[in-house]
Amino acid sequence: MTTRLPSRPRFATVLLLLTVLVLASACSWVGWDWDTPMSTVMPKSDFGKMTHEIFMLISWWTLGIFILVEGALLYCCWRFRDRPGAPIPKQIHGNTPLEVSWTIAFAVILLIFVIPTIRVIFKTQEAPASTALRVEVVGRQWWWEFRYPGLRITTANELHLPVGQTVAFHLNAPDVIHSFWIPQLGGKRDVVPHRVNQLVMTPDTPGEYPGQCAEYCGMSHANMRFRVVVHPKGEFEQWVKAQQAPPVEPTDALAQQGKTLFAQSACVGCHAISGVSAGVLGPNLNHFGSRKMFAAGLMATTAENLTKWIENPAHMKPGALMPNLGMKGEQSKALAAYLLSLK
Ligand code: CUA
């Protein structure tokens, strides 16, 4: 007499299905735009769209294969299950026609993936047109420098681009390997010391997109973020004009005091401000006050955050190379007021 397992309680199956339903409903497709800004499934550039198409092609095919294989498995489990008194089934070993056909079928499926993948790899590695906007991206521990050599602009942690214009990013790192990634536009592409990598794309939708270093690069790797603003037609030129203009003289007394303090302290050794200093180790601070975030996207540019940052950078951002210069009270407030005045 054979002993049989007791059938599982039905409520366990229902519970499992409900759990799956709840977990699956956590992924909403509508709303990717705003509640999941690091998503790659709603691409906003030609580069993003090309790579996304390959991702979807592979996803649909593998979903089909999954359903076929799991379906066959479940069917066989049910169809050939043990029954009381059933004889031992016929024992078989191998089936050449079947094995040859699924080997060929999978080789064909791989070819379906490989051909468009290679095409996109070559397409995204093409030399940019001479009309492309050249942006030099420098990945540093732990912030981003963006230089527009044709426009004579250097900025940090905030990248501005015109919609519909091809951009050629030239990526380089003076310290360790980083990776340049704007999930909604494209990347990731490694930023490697002693070589210049290239990434070419054309953003097609105005908006603000977060960027992130995607290669572990040390203590504050997670704090190596940046903000990308894709401007509608005409607006980019305004930004360029504002950035090319020299920073305005501070008008209020506290900010003026901050300017004097800045010019007399060690700040000038690392930071550049037109007409004041020419340091290159830290972010260029021309028009610092026009940037929404600072310290590589860590904090909003407010007087309060800035004062805290000046007083103890390493506390705000672990491993930050900016030293604590012992600025306190009125001094840090004055410096913050000066930096905020640099619109
Ligand atoms: Cu730079 Cu991670």
Side-chain angles (χ1 to χ4, degrees):
M1 198 183 150
T2 51
T3 46
R4 301 175 66 78
L5 288 169
S7 67
R8 276 158 203 274
R10 189 159 290 178
F11 82 88
T13 317
V14 175
L15 194 71
L16 182 72
L17 284 175
L18 276 176
T19 313
V20 170
L21 195 72
V22 168
L23 288 176
S25 64
C27 320
S28 102
W29 195 272
V30 191
W32 277 111
D33 266 286
W34 53 274
D35 64 359
T36 50
M38 300 303 276
S39 165
T40 58
V41 300
M42 301 277 274
K44 308 283 196 308
S45 77
D46 59 338
F47 184 101
K49 282 182 174 129
M50 278 188 273
T51 44
H52 181 64
E53 270 165 28
I54 292 178
F55 169 76
M56 289 315 289
L57 174 83
I58 296 174
S59 297
W60 286 121
W61 270 93
T62 43
L63 179 69
I65 294 166
F66 174 80
I67 290 171
L68 268 178
V69 172
E70 292 305 305
L73 180 71
L74 288 176
Y75 171 76
C76 291
C77 288
W78 172 79
R79 175 74 181 76
F80 303 107
R81 70 190 183 282
D82 184 28
R83 290 185 181 88
I88 293 205
K90 188 181 151 204
Q91 302 298 297
I92 54 163
H93 298 280
N95 184 318
T96 309
L98 204 57
E99 283 164 25
V100 168
S101 25
W102 72 48
T103 306
I104 292 174
F106 284 115
V108 171
I109 293 172
L110 281 180
L111 267 183
I112 294 174
F113 297 164
V114 161
I115 292 167
T117 304
I118 290 180
R119 227 183 48 220
V120 166
I121 289 174
F122 276 88
K123 182 103 188 78
T124 55
Q125 297 285 346
E126 273 173 8
S130 57
T131 50
L133 172 69
R134 183 187 170 107
V135 179
E136 288 167 3
V137 176
V138 187
R140 297 171 184 266
Q141 283 173 312
W142 291 273
W143 58 281
W144 297 93
E145 183 167 280
F146 302 115
R147 300 184 197 140
Y148 300 70
L151 303 171
R152 292 168 289 104
I153 293 172
T154 299
T155 186
N157 304 320
E158 205 173 277
L159 177 64
H160 290 253
L161 304 170
V163 73
Q165 154 95 59
T166 303
V167 197
F169 295 108
H170 294 255
L171 316 165
N172 178 29
D175 44 43
V176 299
I177 303 177
H178 305 271
S179 176
F180 182 70
W181 187 36
I182 312 160
Q184 295 188 62
L185 297 182
K188 314 157 176 173
R189 189 143 296 166
D190 276 0
V191 185
V192 183
H194 309 302
R195 66 168 288 160
V196 178
N197 272 350
Q198 196 171 279
L199 180 67
V200 181
M201 65 169 79
T202 310
D204 57 27
T205 313
E208 278 190 37
Y209 308 106
Q212 168 76 51
C213 177
E215 176 80 48
Y216 181 69
C217 55
M219 207 183 259
S220 263
H221 154 70
N223 297 321
M224 191 170 164
R225 299 189 281 256
F226 57 105
R227 181 172 160 255
V228 184
V229 183
V230 175
H231 291 278
K233 287 248 176 294
E235 220 185 82
F236 179 72
E237 287 69 28
Q238 288 171 26
W239 177 82
V240 169
K241 259 194 198 144
Q243 296 292 310
Q244 286 173 335
V248 287
E249 269 306 299
T251 45
D252 76 276
L254 190 65
Q256 275 171 352
Q257 195 190 322
K259 184 179 176 183
T260 313
L261 191 59
F262 182 94
Q264 288 169 353
S265 72
C267 308
V268 295
C270 295
H271 297 284
I273 297 178
S274 293
V276 181
S277 63
V280 292
L281 292 174
N284 181 302
L285 299 177
N286 272 335
H287 308 287
F288 173 87
S290 73
R291 300 175 201 155
K292 219 173 175 176
M293 311 285 285
F294 74 99
L298 192 63
M299 286 163 280
T301 313
T302 64
E304 197 195 345
N305 287 341
L306 209 46
T307 310
K308 278 191 208 157
W309 169 256
I310 292 164
E311 290 180 359
N312 196 349
H315 177 72
M316 310 291 278
K317 187 173 180 178
L321 296 184
M322 172 155 147
N324 182 344
L325 295 179
M327 302 281 181
K328 290 268 173 296
E330 200 67 2
Q331 288 179 315
S332 47
K333 277 195 186 127
L335 275 175
Y338 171 49
L339 294 177
L340 282 173
S341 79
L342 301 171
K343 296 283 184 200

